[in-house]
């Protein structure tokens, strides 16, 4: 608030993401003209979030993750919100924004909690170069996590689905990770927990839990988990908004008076 | 949703995007497990928006478009909004939602207006198989559009930029379209208008105008223009939110009392 | 914000609403300490929007308007959006924001269109001090508006309701305006249009149309219509969010797979 | 998911807030026509949130609270967000929604934390009818709270302000509560903590802390604290959006390239 002769303006906006100069744009150190010409969109996402380009293996795995979030029909609260807002005649960006607001701790929130669980657990180990030894450590860690949650009657984040007994996306993602030789300690841990939960409770990994493990092995910190989910899901949400605007009556009723129970006095 | 024998439930949610069955997800007719394994994320976006996979040429061009929207530093209102919201301690999805809300008719709105202009103009022509004849028609159309706007002292949407005299993204996108042999009537029209505006006023295509032309030649209708911009820009916005949370003090002041002019009585 | 001797900072934030000084806040020229002690909340709203306190008569009428927007149960898209977002575990402010996003041109949009219609119509008259003459002018204007819309098969904004044949709020508001001697040209016009629509089509004023007329007679411009609706409706939306969080299961399903029609291939 | 003859539709929307019948609206048990005619807007807010009308004393005190939240000029992130979004040409409801999204745990979040602190602390006491004894209990509680926070180097929520050493709103609110004989245990506790903080650290109650105490004495639970803040602040935000649209250039630059520090490689 006070002025003095050596005042450095503390309100300058600072960023390391892009440099904007007249007629020149540089992002994460690369000229945007080169990026536009040469890199895949999935790699662009990796670059802007991480500050470096992915390796070929990382690029493939990250691409599987992004595709796996694409759509779950009209069942998620986010999609329902988007369609209701679109129906009221609001612009597309408002409907997308509304959808994002329903990514609460119940919907999509699991991915970050799951990443925190895997990463804090794995970080507690001293991993060696000896695969057998490490696998044993991880198996024992999985048992601890399982027991902790079961004894506290707590859900393990990233497991179970409201509409599926086996989430087909999680199943496929893990298969691919194995096939492509992309199995680090976090995926190992997720699979070990799944074995226990599946045998004892019939509960399996869901798309959030599988991706949480993969993203952890890709080196993403938990605070980017929800962001990557959002990136992957937005195109589906836009497709639903477009469908609502094209195919449905504007301002259609989503309920009749007969659908409502009045519980007041 | 009351039940009786003759009641057809008019509130059923209907969609052609994805079919959700227990343990099986199908999107635009493809099993999601196959999509996760086999397609690139850029193609997934094309598929979910258009209902079909792109050709190889379409896939490449659409990828250039998506990358070109990636980031413009801290200058856009959307990025500033995202950072201010992030700074207040709100969750990431709220900050992304706030950013989307600033895509008004001034910011990002140009892309749809530009698509409408190109498409309604090109639709007014009877295009032939004769390239020379068509080029002449388009050149004459560009002159009409130019004169109409200039005489009404109106801006042509998709041209000019607050920070650049030549938008490096637009310049590169048009170069690539020419190099890859992907120049349809809408790109031709955009370039013809640019020639006139550039010679007479020194104003050039911006990223919205160039992409509006490319997306039109890709067969996208204007009502998806803003959606594609959003898809392309969201990763950059998430990177800014993350940077704000990592690198800046929470709840930093964006202004001091001395920065404010009080204009009241 | 760079400093040099000749630079006038063009980015200063300017406002005439409140003056913020250390330990002193002044709003619309009044010390906030006095406002807190002495004025009613409804008058505070009038003051901050209009820059002056209301007269006693204005204060009463504005209060009726604010109360009339309070709630319409779970039928509006805004309320449904708020509850779905709340159900997903998002914070209250996110759920309120989502609700606001569904005030599109179909939901709540009527109030501004209605104000524009009344005000542009009344502004086209040369009103006198002679009540009879003015009433005749207004009656004739109502016939023109009615005929214009009917011949173009257009709805007149502010009339008709999805769930009511007589909107009880509109009916009461007009009765009160008459009883309190608060009937200016805009209310007269609204009532005259209602007479025609009601006799010929059985369609009556709705809460938006009645309030549009009252707010116009109160001197509000159309661009504040939606804002006043929002102010009046927000408490109801917050009550619904609170009820959802207290009384319903978190993340309850809003639809079952059987409720969904898949229309794809 | 399964249908059978006795199926009760579990997706019915249930509410105790309003009953919507054709041509009749009832809110919290009162006919809306009566509410529109007879009650003040501040009381309407109390009614819809609490399910009952306030007493005269409660009505007055709640009114002071609502007015006190009215505006803090352009300094809060919410107001800045609202103006940036409005500047981009987005509709008013989008700009209000954006503002709400910046009520994070740093901005406006203090009110709920403060209510939780006061209420959980007071609930731990066994209050008597003996004022002296109770005052002693509360004084001792304040010392505990003060010591706990100081020893953990933690801020006490509801105290201190970025721009004021004495928040003029808090000061006035407490004066009024005393003058109107509306001082319950929560206000007593807030004042006792302020005495300690003020003497030892020069830190005083802010508007959130004072209102948290008053709302607690009014019987509001913490989960409505942010909602009441939102209700009180929205009119000011709408005034700022309106001012931005009226008085400033659309899409004005909020920064120049020279204002930005590029910290990348």
């Amino acid at each position: 608030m006070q002025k003095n002769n050596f005042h450095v303006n503390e309100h300058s906006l600072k960023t390391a993401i892009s440099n904007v100069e007249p007629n020149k744009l540089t992002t994460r150190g690369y000229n945007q003209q080169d990026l536009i010409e040469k890199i895949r969109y999935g790699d662009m996402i990796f670059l802007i979030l991480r500050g470096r380009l992915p390796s070929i293996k990382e690029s493939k795995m990250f691409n599987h993750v992004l595709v796996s979030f694409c759509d779950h029909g009209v069942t998620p609260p986010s999609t329902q919100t988007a369609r209701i807002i679109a129906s009221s005649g609001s612009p597309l960006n408002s409907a997308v924004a509304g959808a994002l607001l329903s990514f609460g701790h119940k919907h999509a929130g699991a991915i970050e909690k799951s990443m925190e669980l895997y990463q804090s657990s794995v970080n507690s180990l001293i991993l060696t170069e000896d695969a057998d030894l490490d696998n044993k450590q991880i198996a024992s860690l999985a048992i601890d996590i399982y027991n902790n949650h079961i004894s506290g009657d707590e859900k393990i984040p990233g497991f179970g689905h409201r509409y599926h007994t086996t989430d087909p996306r999680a199943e496929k993602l893990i298969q691919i990770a194995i096939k492509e030789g992309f199995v680090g300690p976090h995926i190992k841990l997720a699979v070990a927990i799944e074995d226990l939960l599946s045998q004892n409770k019939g509960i399996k990994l869901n798309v959030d839990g599988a991706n949480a493990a993969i993203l952890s092995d890709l080196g993403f910190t938990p605070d980017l988990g929800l962001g990557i989910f959002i990136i992957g899901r937005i195109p589906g949400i836009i497709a639903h908004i477009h469908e609502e605007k094209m195919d449905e009556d504007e301002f259609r009723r989503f309920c009749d008076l007969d659908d409502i129970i009045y519980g007041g006095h």
Side-chain angles (χ1 to χ4, degrees), chain A:
Chain A
M1 259 156 98
Q2 52 287 76
K3 301 273 175 212
N4 69 50
N5 292 330
F6 307 94
H7 181 74
V8 176
N9 184 344
E10 56 192 315
H11 303 304
S12 288
L13 290 157
K14 200 175 73 193
T15 184
I17 298 169
S18 295
N19 193 19
V20 179
E21 299 164 277
N23 303 336
K24 187 174 176 200
L25 292 163
T26 312
T27 291
R28 297 299 193 186
Y30 296 91
N31 189 314
Q32 280 199 12
Q33 291 197 327
D34 294 335
L35 295 173
I36 291 170
E37 187 161 11
K38 291 177 189 157
I39 75 170
R40 299 249 176 214
Y41 182 52
D43 297 343
M44 181 72 228
I45 298 170
F46 192 102
L47 171 66
I48 206 160
L49 295 180
R50 292 289 288 278
R52 66 164 175 86
L53 285 165
S55 71
I56 291 172
K57 220 170 188 176
E58 287 171 331
S59 165
K60 283 176 99 168
M61 208 62 217
F62 189 56
N63 188 81
H64 298 308
V65 170
L66 288 170
V67 172
S68 74
F69 286 126
C70 63
D71 192 43
H72 200 273
V74 293
T75 68
S78 48
T79 310
Q80 291 170 5
T81 300
R83 295 188 77 127
I84 292 174
I85 294 176
S87 177
S88 76
S90 286
L92 180 131
N93 58 322
S94 294
V96 180
L100 291 177
L101 296 178
S102 67
F103 293 135
H105 66 91
K106 294 300 292 183
H107 176 29
I111 192 166
E112 300 206 348
K113 276 181 239 150
S114 197
M115 289 172 83
E116 275 157 27
L117 175 67
Y118 299 151
Q119 293 185 25
S120 66
S121 303
V122 168
N123 287 345
S124 72
L125 300 179
I126 301 173
L127 292 174
T128 63
E129 296 295 296
D130 180 333
D132 278 356
L133 188 59
D134 288 352
N135 289 346
K136 266 182 212 158
Q137 287 196 70
I138 289 169
S140 145
L141 189 61
I143 293 169
D144 290 349
I145 292 169
Y146 176 80
N147 287 337
N148 267 340
H149 281 78
I150 295 306
S151 69
D153 204 25
E154 258 186 275
K155 281 187 173 181
I156 308 183
F159 289 86
H161 197 281
R162 300 195 295 173
Y163 294 99
H164 308 291
T165 51
T166 301
D167 186 329
R169 299 161 296 181
E171 187 185 40
K172 189 67 181 183
L173 285 161
I174 298 298
Q175 279 173 18
I176 292 171
I178 294 167
K179 195 172 130 195
E180 297 189 2
F182 191 88
V183 177
H186 303 93
I187 296 176
K188 279 183 193 166
L189 178 60
V191 170
I193 297 171
E194 187 185 37
D195 285 346
L196 293 164
L197 256 181
S198 174
Q199 280 161 35
N200 293 299
K201 307 265 175 182
I203 296 172
K204 298 201 171 167
L205 264 175
N206 62 31
V207 67
D208 290 331
N211 281 320
I214 295 167
L215 289 170
S216 295
D217 277 338
L218 276 165
F220 283 93
T221 49
D223 43 45
L224 280 170
L226 179 58
I228 294 165
F229 175 89
I230 286 173
I231 293 168
R233 179 57 60 88
I234 289 273
I237 293 204
I238 289 171
H240 279 281
I241 293 166
H242 193 244
E243 187 181 58
E244 177 73 32
K245 295 209 178 224
M246 293 294 115
D247 294 0
E248 302 288 347
D249 289 339
E250 213 179 32
F251 207 42
R252 60 180 168 132
R253 290 192 200 193
F254 284 90
C255 69
D256 284 330
L257 296 189
D258 287 353
D259 298 331
I260 303 167
I261 297 169
Y262 177 59
H265 43 197

